[in-house]
C-alpha cells in the first residue's frame, strides 16, 4: 500500500484533537458489504493515525458472507485462502453518534493491500466506476426515499416479531396516534445530529411502517447518506429494544417497503438538463429527460436484480400493491414504474419506483445511473406515458417475477453489465444464485401448514 502523505498525518492529528474535545474515545469505521449491510470495527482514538496509515485488516470473504454467516464460494474468498482487504478510515466523514456516548463513526475505503487499488467487490467503488464511464459532462443528482418497518418482540409470532403500533387508518400520519412511543421524532432528531440530510418523516401505509426522506445531492454522497441512514435507523431501533427492518415485505398482512430514487442530471454550470419547456415538449421535458427515461425502461428487467435483490423482494410486487410490476412510465402517476413528478424547472426529475428497501444504495444508484447513461448515449425515445391505473397487464411488459428471472435478465443485458464491469457482475450473480439455492432447500412454515396434515 502507498505511504500516507504528511497531509493525512496532520488530518489524523487534528481529528484526534477534535474528537477528544468532544469526549469521544472510540471511532467506528464502517463500510458496505455486497448486500449493503454495514461491516465495522471500533478503534480507540489514539490508534487513529496507525489506522489511517496502514488501514484496518478485514477478511475479503466478508463480501461473500450471507446474513446467516454462510461463506459463499467465490473468487478471492475460500479458494484464495481467505486473503485480506484493508479498510482505511475516511476522516472527512467523521461524525459523533448521538445515541452512543463517546463514539464517532466514519466511512472506510476498502482497498487491496497488495496493490492499493479498490477492493474488487467494493460497492462504493462500483458507483465511482459507473460515474467515470458516463463521462464528466453530466452530473447525476439523487434524492433517496426509504421505507422500513419497526417491529416489537412477540413470542406468539412465528418469527418472534410483530409490527409496532398496530392501528388501522393512520396512513401518512404523524404524532402519537400512529407512533405511540414517539419513535419517529427521536429518529428524526438523531438523524439531524448526524447531518445526513434527513428532511421529513411520517407513518406509512402499514402498521409500524415509516418513511423518512433524504435531501438530494451528488450520486456518491446520496448513496453514502442512504447507507448511513439505514445503519443508523437499525441502531436507533436497537436502543429501543426493537427491530427496524428494510426487508421488502416482512409480513403477510402488510404491504412492502420501497426505496425510491429521484434522479436528475445537471451540466457543469449546474443547469438541470431534464427541464425542457423551451424545447416545445408537451410535457415540459427535454430530449435528455426522455432519453434517460427510455434507458431506464429498456434496462428495467436487469435493473430489477440490483434494486430488488432478494427472494422476498418479489412478494412486494403485484396488482394493487402500490409497487410497480410493469415496465412503464407516467406523468405524476404513482402506479407507474417511472414517475415524472409535476415540478419543472430546477425540480424536473425522474422518480424510479422500482426498488425495494433491501437494495444496496450503492448498487441501486449505480444501476440507475448506468441505465440513464445508456439511454442518453443511444438517444432512445420512450413510448407514450401511462394514463390511468398502472396495473392492467396488457398495457406494458411485465417485470421479472422472481429473483431467478431478474438475475437471468441482468446476465443477458450485456450493455448494462459492461457499464457495471465483468468482475462485479460475476460476483453478484454467483452470490445471489447461491442465495436462491439455499432458499430452495429450506422448509418454510407455510409448507408445513399446507402439506403436513392433509398428505
Amino acid at each position: 500500500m502507498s505511504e500516507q502523505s504528511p497531509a493525512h498525518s496532520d488530518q489524523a492529528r487534528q481529528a484526534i484533537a477534535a474528537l477528544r474535545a468532544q469526549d469521544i474515545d472510540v471511532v467506528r469505521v464502517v463500510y458496505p458489504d455486497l448486500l449493503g449491510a454495514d461491516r465495522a470495527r471500533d478503534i480507540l482514538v489514539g490508534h487513529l493515525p496507525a489506522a489511517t496509515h496502514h488501514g484496518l485488516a478485514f477478511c475479503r470473504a466478508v463480501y461473500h458472507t450471507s446474513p446467516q454467516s454462510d461463506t459463499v464460494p467465490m473468487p478471492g474468498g475460500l479458494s484464495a485462502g481467505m486473503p485480506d482487504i484493508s479498510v482505511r478510515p475516511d476522516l472527512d466523514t467523521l461524525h459523533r453518534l448521538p445515541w452512543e456516548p463517546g463514539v464517532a463513526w466514519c466511512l472506510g475505503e476498502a482497498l487491496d493491500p497488495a496493490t492499493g487499488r479498490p477492493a474488487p467487490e467494493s460497492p462504493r467503488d462500483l458507483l465511482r466506476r459507473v460515474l467515470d464511464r458516463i463521462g464528466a459532462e453530466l452530473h447525476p443528482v439523487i434524492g433517496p426515499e426509504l421505507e422500513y418497518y419497526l417491529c416489537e418482540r412477540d413470542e406468539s409470532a412465528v418469527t418472534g416479531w410483530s409490527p409496532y403500533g398496530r392501528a388501522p387508518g393512520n396512513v401518512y400520519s404523524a404524532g402519537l396516534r400512529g407512533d405511540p412511543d414517539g419513535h419517529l421524532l427521536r429518529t428524526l432528531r438523531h438523524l439531524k445530529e448526524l447531518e445526513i440530510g434527513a428532511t421529513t418523516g411520517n407513518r406509512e401505509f402499514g402498521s409500524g411502517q415509516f418513511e423518512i426522506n433524504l435531501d438530494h445531492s451528488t450520486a456518491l454522497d446520496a448513496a453514502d447518506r442512504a447507507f448511513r441512514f439505514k445503519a443508523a435507523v437499525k441502531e436507533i431501533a436497537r436502543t429501543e429494544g426493537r427491530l427496524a427492518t428494510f426487508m421488502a415485505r416482512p409480513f403477510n398482512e402488510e404491504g412492502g417497503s420501497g426505496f425510491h430514487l429521484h434522479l436528475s442530471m445537471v451540466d457543469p454550470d449546474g443547469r438541470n438538463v431534464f427541464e425542457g419547456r423551451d424545447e416545445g415538449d408537451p410535457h415540459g421535458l427535454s430530449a435528455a429527460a426522455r432519453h434517460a427515461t427510455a434507458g431506464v425502461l429498456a434496462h428495467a428487467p436487469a435493473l430489477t436484480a440490483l434494486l430488488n435483490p432478494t427472494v422476498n423482494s418479489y412478494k412486494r410486487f403485484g396488482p394493487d400493491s402500490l409497487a410497480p410490476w410493469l415496465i412503464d412510465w407516467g406523468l405524476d402517476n404513482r402506479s407507474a414504474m417511472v414517475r415524472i413528478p409535476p415540478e419543472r424547472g430546477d425540480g424536473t426529475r425522474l422518480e424510479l419506483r422500482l426498488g425495494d428497501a433491501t437494495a444496496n444504495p450503492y448498487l441501486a444508484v449505480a444501476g440507475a445511473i448506468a441505465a440513464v447513461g445508456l439511454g442518453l448515449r443511444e438517444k432512445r425515445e420512450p413510448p407514450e406515458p401511462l394514463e390511468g391505473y398502472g396495473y392492467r397487464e396488457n398495457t406494458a411488459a411485465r417485470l421479472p417475477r422472481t429473483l431467478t428471472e431478474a438475475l437471468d435478465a441482468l446476465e443477458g443485458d450485456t450493455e448494462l453489465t459492461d457499464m457495471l464491469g465483468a468482475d462485479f457482475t460475476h460476483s453478484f450473480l454467483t452470490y445471489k444464485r447461491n442465495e436462491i439455492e439455499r432458499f430452495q432447500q429450506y422448509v418454510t412454515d407455510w409448507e408445513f401448514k399446507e402439506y403436513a396434515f392433509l398428505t
Side-chain angles (χ1 to χ4, degrees):
M1 184 179 295
S2 60
E3 290 296 315
Q4 188 184 34
S5 69
H8 281 97
S9 299
D10 289 343
Q11 186 184 23
R13 287 192 290 269
Q14 292 167 9
I16 289 173
L19 291 167
R20 286 178 170 159
Q22 301 176 70
D23 294 323
I24 292 170
D25 62 348
V26 170
V27 173
R28 181 166 300 152
V29 182
V30 300
Y31 67 99
D33 68 7
L34 206 56
L35 295 175
D38 53 305
R39 306 290 179 173
R41 180 167 295 157
D42 286 344
I43 58 174
L44 294 170
V45 162
H47 292 272
L48 197 57
T52 57
H53 181 75
H54 299 291
L56 302 169
F58 286 81
C59 179
R60 181 179 165 188
V62 75
Y63 283 122
H64 317 148
T65 303
S66 80
Q68 297 300 315
S69 299
D70 301 300
T71 302
V72 179
M74 293 170 62
L78 292 171
S79 62
M82 303 180 74
D84 274 350
I85 57 170
S86 178
V87 178
R88 179 174 288 178
D90 180 353
L91 298 182
D92 290 332
T93 64
L94 266 174
H95 211 288
R96 183 181 67 86
L97 290 183
W99 60 84
E100 199 163 351
V103 180
W105 71 349
C106 70
L107 295 174
E109 298 283 10
L111 305 170
D112 181 338
T115 65
R117 297 178 59 81
E121 296 91 348
S122 167
R124 285 187 93 203
D125 289 288
L126 169 70
L127 176 53
R128 288 184 173 120
R129 289 194 298 273
V130 168
L131 290 169
D132 286 343
R133 285 168 183 165
I134 68 167
E137 293 184 2
L138 295 178
H139 306 280
V141 176
I142 303 290
E145 290 183 0
L146 279 149
E147 298 167 344
Y148 65 94
Y149 274 92
L150 187 66
C151 308
E152 296 186 297
R153 285 283 184 187
D154 181 356
E155 298 306 324
S156 67
V158 172
T159 60
W161 299 91
S162 62
Y164 153 83
R166 284 187 186 271
N170 290 322
V171 180
Y172 295 152
S173 66
L176 298 180
R177 55 184 273 200
D179 181 13
D181 190 44
H183 161 82
L184 180 61
L185 282 181
R186 278 194 302 276
T187 301
L188 284 172
R189 286 168 177 152
H190 284 325
L191 295 176
K192 178 186 176 183
E193 291 185 66
L194 284 177
E195 298 180 333
I196 58 173
T199 57
T200 63
N202 57 268
R203 223 299 294 266
E204 248 295 333
F205 203 90
S207 294
Q209 188 182 37
F210 296 90
E211 178 179 41
I212 294 178
N213 296 337
L214 303 178
D215 203 359
H216 62 275
S217 68
T218 58
L220 183 60
D221 180 69
D224 282 341
R225 291 185 297 110
F227 165 66
R228 299 179 86 169
F229 166 79
K230 292 177 73 173
V233 166
K234 288 184 282 190
E235 283 291 280
I236 293 166
R238 291 182 182 111
T239 69
E240 301 173 359
R242 299 185 173 108
L243 168 70
T245 179
F246 291 86
M247 184 176 172
R249 190 180 175 200
F251 301 107
N252 284 315
E253 67 274 18
E254 302 287 357
S257 291
F259 181 4
H260 299 166
L261 294 175
H262 291 253
L263 189 154
S264 59
M265 303 283 277
V266 298
D267 64 18
D269 297 323
R271 185 182 70 88
N272 185 344
V273 300
F274 283 179
E275 203 282 320
R277 290 197 185 278
D278 296 336
E279 298 185 24
D281 182 88
H283 309 307
L285 301 176
S286 68
R290 296 195 307 274
H291 300 333
T293 300
V296 171
L297 297 178
H299 298 282
L303 286 178
T304 307
L306 301 175
L307 278 82
N308 304 272
T310 70
V311 171
N312 176 258
S313 295
Y314 298 83
K315 296 177 181 178
R316 169 177 165 263
F317 290 151
D320 305 317
S321 63
L322 298 180
W325 70 320
L326 302 178
I327 302 172
D328 53 15
W329 73 289
L331 301 164
D332 197 14
N333 189 328
R334 282 182 169 81
S335 63
M337 189 193 80
V338 177
R339 169 179 172 256
I340 308 296
E343 295 90 346
R344 293 295 179 267
D346 289 343
T348 309
R349 63 193 187 278
L350 319 180
E351 181 191 8
L352 178 56
R353 298 173 60 82
L354 173 61
D356 70 62
T358 4
N360 181 329
Y362 298 99
L363 306 190
V365 173
I369 290 172
V372 164
L374 289 168
L376 293 171
R377 186 174 73 190
E378 296 159 8
K379 300 189 185 304
R380 293 177 180 267
E381 289 289 342
E384 289 299 309
L386 167 73
E387 293 186 4
Y389 195 48
Y391 294 100
R392 303 186 303 275
E393 190 167 5
N394 61 343
T395 61
R398 186 167 175 173
L399 288 163
R401 304 183 190 205
T402 65
L403 181 57
T404 297
E405 288 184 25
L407 295 176
D408 289 344
L410 176 62
E411 185 173 28
D413 190 335
T414 54
E415 289 183 321
L416 191 71
T417 57
D418 284 348
M419 291 282 278
L420 300 174
D423 289 343
F424 163 77
T425 302
H426 176 74
S427 293
F428 184 80
L429 291 172
T430 301
Y431 184 97
K432 284 295 168 180
R433 286 187 167 135
N434 178 272
E435 179 178 326
I436 293 167
E437 291 173 7
R438 287 184 286 115
F439 173 73
Q440 289 172 338
Q441 295 300 313
Y442 189 80
V443 178
T444 66
D445 62 302
W446 181 92
E447 292 168 276
F448 189 87
K449 288 187 290 186
E450 186 79 2
Y451 305 125
F453 300 101
L454 297 179
T455 58

